[in-house]
Amino acid sequence: MAAFATSLLANDVVFSKDVAPILYRNCTGCHRPGEAAPFSLISYEDAAKRGRLIRSVVENRQMPPWKADASTHAFQDERRLTDAQIGVIRNWVEVGMPEGNPEDTPSLPEFPAGWQLGQPDLIVEMPEGFTVPADGPDIYRNFVIPIALPEDKWIRAIELRPSARPIFHHVLYMADASDASRRADAADPLPGWSGTMGAFFVSGGGSLGGWAAGAQPHLLRDGLAMPFRKGSDLVLQCHFHPVGVEMTEKAVVGLYFADSAPERELVSIRLPPLFGRFSGLDIPPGEADYRKSDEFVLPVDVEGVSIAPHAHYIGKTMKMTAIRPDGVVETLLSIGDWDFAWQDQYYFKELVSLPRGTKIRAEVSWDNSSANPRNPSNPPVRVTWGEESKDEMGSIALRVVARNEADRPQLETAVQRHLMRAFMGGNR
Ligand code: HEC
């Protein structure tokens, strides 16, 4: 009887009223003409043609792309289908992908043209276009937009409008108050320069977040803003994915400033510090489970805002936990299948209150075996810390504010000490 009831239900599943709403909400942000995904998923024909593939990528949670496993605290804009939604797609494929009544198909969500966050306070543009060939490997390229900001500013959001959306996979933003990036740009004959920018961070560049294909830009909440110091240039680290036709990227970037300095300033707790520069990273060829971890005890009460993990191609897992003074362990971020191509910044839906005495623990693992399909070297070679993407890095940054701003100096001092200790202890 139960089986009969299930199959009756499954038989009812049609594209128009069951499947289309799921695809429109979770897929067409990228899977529509002109966006980063390789095909559209708007019409019945689009979807039915790839029904089986869709079923398999949603079942193994390859799509929608969202690398974070479920954790203790929810993130903003989580791209994750529910088991029920996956079930609907599975049933629809099993019963032969019927269309249903086309009139039941919902209208497409509106994708507003122009600036999503309204008119920016400052609009800047890449000085030159960068041409990405039709074919070949993915390209990681840095560009400096020489702003030389005339006065200190606080950034609430950055919105990027690519000129070649189909090839634009993701971008990380950084502020550079030195002339390091201008020099790197000048030293390379093409626009921009290559490398993963780790050394740039190490020399003191400030991270300003990032954007990945399909994500919405957001204004920071709770009155928060990121410092953008006088004299700074904006640096973009871009990931391009060739799509079969040559395309030129010359992105326009909108900056949204806060009216005044925020009441509480963000502090970044990066574990291990400096992207693992001093963690003694030395991964033997063939090693399938190489691990590094680091811990930091909060000297004051804080509130967690966001998490950004970083490793290169052979990074495998990322985990950050909070061990509260009462012994309760919470998962702040867990990624079981790290993918360099989908580097997201994870913003907590609600600020995460972490009391003084909480131990923050980060663990990163790497798979340098030939069984890792993302290993750029085959046969595998010894891999150490470095800036190029065939080198490795590994760390997780937790951005927080002190619950009481008056405590921030104490927190910053502890973060500095932690860095110094890594430097003295490691430095190999
Ligand atoms: C954030 C953007 C984004 C979203 C949202 C997204 N996709 Fe994708 N999808 C991509 C990109 C980009 C690719 C190309 C492969 C890659 O880069 O991983 C892709 C590839 C695919 C593929 C081909 C996979 C293969 O192995 O050839 C399928 C099928 C697919 N997506 C289905 C979906 C479905 C179904 C959804 C919604 C449930 C979805 N995608 C949501 C960006 C997205």
Side-chain angles (χ1 to χ4, degrees):
M1 188 61 203
F4 179 63
T6 325
S7 71
L8 238 189
L9 267 181
N11 267 321
D12 277 334
V13 177
V14 295
F15 178 80
S16 58
K17 73 181 167 50
D18 304 304
V19 174
I22 298 175
L23 301 187
Y24 289 3
R25 229 191 113 82
N26 301 283
C27 317
T28 51
C30 301
H31 287 270
R32 68 178 199 273
E35 289 296 329
F39 47 84
S40 171
L41 284 178
I42 292 177
S43 70
Y44 168 69
E45 289 73 23
D46 290 337
K49 196 159 62 187
R50 298 189 172 82
R52 280 170 200 292
L53 187 57
I54 291 173
R55 171 187 164 165
S56 94
V57 299
V58 299
E59 279 184 336
N60 69 15
R61 295 195 178 273
Q62 183 190 332
M63 288 286 148
W66 181 258
K67 302 312 291 183
D69 304 330
S71 58
T72 311
H73 302 277
F75 296 112
Q76 253 178 31
D77 295 335
E78 227 162 287
R79 286 193 297 256
R80 181 195 298 283
L81 296 186
T82 62
D83 291 341
Q85 290 171 319
I86 296 172
V88 168
I89 292 175
R90 181 187 304 125
N91 288 342
W92 176 64
V93 173
E94 267 170 16
V95 298
M97 297 174 279
E99 177 172 17
N101 181 353
E103 279 170 19
D104 293 338
T105 311
S107 46
L108 264 184
E110 269 188 40
F111 298 106
W115 298 104
Q116 312 286 300
L117 298 176
Q119 190 60 22
D121 297 302
L122 178 65
I123 299 176
V124 294
E125 186 175 12
M126 280 168 58
E128 293 172 273
F130 178 75
T131 299
V132 173
D135 306 296
D138 285 16
I139 294 174
Y140 292 84
R141 189 95 186 156
N142 313 299
F143 306 96
V144 56
I145 302 184
I147 299 180
L149 197 70
E151 55 178 339
D152 285 350
K153 287 285 186 193
W154 293 92
I155 293 185
R156 293 190 65 209
I158 301 181
E159 183 172 338
L160 178 119
R161 296 176 65 182
S163 62
R165 245 170 225 280
I167 57 167
F168 214 117
H169 211 282
H170 81 254
V171 59
L172 299 176
Y173 308 114
M174 280 147 276
D176 185 5
S178 76
D179 63 353
S181 33
R182 292 189 193 206
R183 278 189 282 117
D185 186 26
D188 190 306
L190 293 173
W193 70 102
S194 65
T196 69
M197 299 287 292
F200 170 80
F201 274 114
V202 172
S203 75
S207 165
L208 296 174
W211 170 84
Q216 286 298 312
H218 278 287
L219 291 166
L220 278 172
R221 313 148 308 171
D222 305 297
L224 298 174
M226 298 172 286
F228 195 36
R229 306 277 180 227
K230 182 176 174 181
S232 292
D233 294 331
L234 181 68
V235 177
L236 310 178
Q237 179 187 84
C238 303
H239 170 193
F240 301 121
H241 179 71
V243 290
V245 277
E246 183 182 285
M247 289 193 136
T248 297
E249 182 54 56
K250 192 165 186 286
V252 178
V253 184
L255 303 173
Y256 297 81
F257 297 133
D259 294 337
S260 55
E263 278 169 20
R264 299 192 292 173
E265 284 191 32
L266 290 159
V267 177
S268 177
I269 304 173
R270 183 175 288 285
L271 303 178
L274 293 182
F275 294 85
R277 169 74 182 83
F278 304 121
S279 64
L281 202 68
D282 189 350
I283 315 172
E287 170 67 64
D289 190 18
Y290 184 86
R291 285 171 189 263
K292 285 285 174 194
S293 62
D294 193 20
E295 292 177 352
F296 178 82
V297 178
L298 296 174
V300 302
D301 293 348
V302 309
E303 291 180 327
V305 177
S306 65
I307 292 201
H310 183 76
H312 296 168
Y313 290 114
I314 63 169
K316 183 180 169 195
T317 63
M318 294 273 179
K319 188 155 192 181
M320 185 172 262
T321 46
I323 303 135
R324 291 176 179 268
D326 61 7
V328 172
V329 180
E330 293 183 347
T331 301
L332 298 180
L333 176 73
S334 172
I335 294 181
D337 177 31
W338 168 257
D339 186 346
F340 188 42
W342 289 107
Q343 296 188 51
D344 268 304
Q345 325 256 323
Y346 300 89
Y347 284 85
F348 295 113
K349 216 168 188 167
E350 312 283 343
L351 297 184
V352 176
S353 169
L354 297 165
R356 163 184 183 185
T358 299
K359 187 190 279 176
I360 307 295
R361 181 166 204 281
E363 185 173 79
V364 181
S365 80
W366 291 264
D367 179 353
N368 193 14
S369 71
S370 53
N372 179 357
R374 299 192 183 110
N375 197 333
S377 304
N378 205 350
V381 296
R382 175 184 174 201
V383 176
T384 53
W385 192 91
E387 205 197 337
E388 295 298 328
S389 50
K390 62 171 182 20
D391 306 322
E392 273 300 328
M393 293 188 182
S395 70
I396 309 176
L398 175 66
R399 278 199 154 183
V400 303
V401 286
R403 175 189 292 260
N404 302 308
E405 181 66 4
D407 287 345
R408 179 167 54 84
Q410 199 185 336
L411 175 62
E412 285 176 335
T413 305
V415 169
Q416 274 303 318
R417 279 217 190 100
H418 187 73
L419 164 62
M420 283 315 292
R421 226 173 289 133
F423 173 67
M424 311 290 274
N427 202 17
R428 338 169 207 210

